[in-house]
Amino acid sequence: MEQKLLIYNTLTRTKERFTPLHAPNVGMYVCGPTVYGDPHLGHARPAITFDILFRYLKHLGYKVRYVRNITDVGHLEHDADEGDDKIEKKARLEQLEPMEIAQYYTNRYHDAMEALNVLPPSIEPHATGHIIEQEKLVQEILDNGYAYESNGSIYFDIEKYNKDHKYGILSGRNLENIINESRELAGIGEKKNQADFALWKKASPEHIMRWPSPWSDGFPGWHCECTAMGRKYLGNHFDIHGGGMDLIFPHHECEIAQAVASQGDQMVHYWMHNNMITINGQKMGKSLGNFITLEQFFTGNHDSLEQAYSPMTIRFFILSAHYRSTVDFSNDALKASQKGLERLMNGLNDLERVPVAKQSDEQVKKFVAELRQRCYDAMNDDFQTQLVISYLFEACHVINTALDHKANISADDLKELTETMQLFTFDLLGLKSEKGANNDAREEAYGKVVDMVLDLRAKAKAAKDWATSDQIRDALADAGFEVKDTKDGVTWKLNK
């Protein structure tokens, strides 16, 4: 069945039917990391959000070219046009070449993404590898009259641009307000207007990373790289540009202005943004010093963490909320995600133990028949992953009631239930089992025996023979098996 996908477009502030410009091909660009430090939870959210989008579009049959950049030059402190390049500053502190810093933290980012089961993008361009394309972009904007040179640096002329076009269409900001905010900053310096942003910066004598250009030896402004690389690999017009909400202004607003100023129109059809992860209501980020790295989550080595949390627990935590909602970090929330993930994985493992009946109960049959489309409907409504998870929990309840001999399910319905749960859990949500091979083998070896014993216990309970039922449970506990009677049915696990 054809799925009608709706995507929330930040530009129009509405959900829109997704219609690719050149179906079945889809072009998708997502802002990647600035590689001057270890990846943290704030990096995990956009990576996982757009990994879901990538997976789902491919599942729907689209041929997706997913471009996610590496910012390894030109990103100055405070995301402004002044101060040190973040990577250069780190390089000086550690007495390394800037590209050593960039490569080291790029590798660390890749390792973390692999642990989170984030698929690699189709293309991962580096800003330093596309200086020529960025210089070409700057020259086009200059030629069209929307930029000016000042002491060897090139700045985008926002007031001039705003006369012909509209600056602020993505963020909803008014140019007059932006200019008034900028006037409060001390020292206009070499800009006509403090709100103007750098397209090319002349390098100061101590600046390590620099390239020749028609204007000066220098480096590109931060905003140029995504416009230049997006256009190079996806063309002058492409489908989706994504990133965190903190990038709407100024980064993505400036990207729109650069595209329109250079080629006359917008490059991007759908602008998508994930919301922030916060700690006590404040955005998590390196610049604020309140971040927890992914490695610290995985090891538990941070004062704010009560324990270690596995990569799949982190992924489940992020997917348990809609991507456009704020998620506030807490140990309680992560522990709840840990339990939720365990419940889902136990349900999937228990599918093999479900007794098959000749026919399903009507309620079970109806649930199984509708489950797949309910999950699709949630994904098609702007990727409501939290709803998909809730439906999969309902499926776990059905599995447990069948295991507890309180519901019947046929072979065909069990097959459909298994395929649906595996599709959405593993293929589309990108979750995976984190159990070690030895534990899997051990549980599988004991599994049939335990199932047989629990089947006897279920029959004893059905006959109201509580003494035998309790005796079986206690005997299993003595052997190292934890048996729980829950509202969803009986579950068991082998204690390590």
Side-chain angles (χ1 to χ4, degrees), residues 253-325:
E253 196 73 76
C254 293
E255 276 198 65
I256 289 175
Q258 288 171 160
V260 175
S262 63
Q263 68 183 39
D265 60 359
Q266 263 235 60
M267 291 198 307
V268 180
H269 190 179
Y270 304 94
W271 286 91
M272 294 182 68
H273 295 91
N274 63 274
N275 213 321
M276 299 296 97
I277 291 180
T278 57
I279 296 182
N280 300 320
Q282 186 181 38
K283 175 199 162 189
M284 179 184 286
K286 286 196 184 82
S287 59
L288 297 170
N290 65 349
F291 65 95
I292 304 173
T293 70
L294 291 170
E295 184 180 31
Q296 287 170 330
F297 275 105
F298 301 159
T299 61
N301 186 25
H302 191 279
D303 291 343
S304 299
L305 299 174
E306 295 177 7
Q307 62 177 76
Y309 298 99
S310 72
M312 285 304 101
T313 298
I314 299 298
R315 188 176 179 106
F316 189 91
F317 169 68
I318 289 170
L319 294 177
S320 295
H322 188 246
Y323 77 91
R324 287 192 288 113
S325 66

Side-chain angles (χ1 to χ4, degrees), residues 15 95 105 120 126 160 195 231 262 266 300 323 421 451 481:
K15 289 180 188 176
Q95 294 185 311
Y105 287 113
H126 291 229
K160 176 77 181 297
R231 187 159 64 181
S262 63
Q266 263 235 60
Y323 77 91
M421 289 188 71
D451 290 345
F481 295 93

Side-chain angles (χ1 to χ4, degrees), residues 94 117 139 238 245 252 294 306 311 366 388 403 410 419:
E94 300 190 16
N117 204 28
Q139 189 62 59
F238 58 89
M245 277 187 179
H252 290 164
L294 291 170
E306 295 177 7
K366 183 175 186 294
V388 175
L403 283 171
S410 69
E419 288 177 358

Side-chain angles (χ1 to χ4, degrees), residues 139-148 157 160-161 164 261:
Q139 189 62 59
E140 288 171 353
I141 296 171
L142 269 170
D143 291 344
N144 290 337
Y146 294 114
Y148 57 91
D157 192 334
K160 176 77 181 297
Y161 173 84
D164 300 329

Side-chain angles (χ1 to χ4, degrees), residues 72-77 80-86 88 92 127-128 130-132 134-135 138 152-155 190 198-213 215-225:
D72 56 359
V73 68
H75 201 332
L76 303 182
E77 291 180 297
D81 293 330
E82 305 301 330
D84 292 336
D85 183 292
K86 293 178 179 180
E88 279 206 16
R92 281 197 295 272
T128 53
H130 297 79
I131 301 297
I132 292 172
Q134 293 176 76
E135 288 185 10
V138 175
S153 293
I154 308 296
Y155 292 98
E190 57 190 29
L199 296 172
W200 184 266
K201 286 285 288 182
K202 181 180 179 180
S204 56
E206 68 275 9
H207 204 93
I208 308 168
M209 300 175 81
R210 59 175 68 212
W211 291 264
S213 80
W215 320 290
S216 64
D217 280 5
F219 55 94
W222 168 40
H223 310 302
C224 288
E225 61 178 284

Side-chain angles (χ1 to χ4, degrees), residues 102-129:
Q103 188 64 58
Y104 175 78
Y105 287 113
T106 298
N107 293 345
R108 300 275 287 176
Y109 178 78
H110 287 156
D111 290 344
M113 293 305 105
E114 185 177 358
L116 291 168
N117 204 28
V118 169
L119 300 175
S122 315
I123 303 172
E124 191 175 57
H126 291 229
T128 53

Side-chain angles (χ1 to χ4, degrees), residues 30-31 40 58 134 160 165 190 214 216 243 290 320 344 398 442 478:
V30 174
C31 290
H40 56 71
K58 290 199 298 180
Q134 293 176 76
K160 176 77 181 297
H165 306 285
E190 57 190 29
S216 64
N290 65 349
S320 295
L344 179 56
V398 170
R442 187 165 56 143
D478 290 342

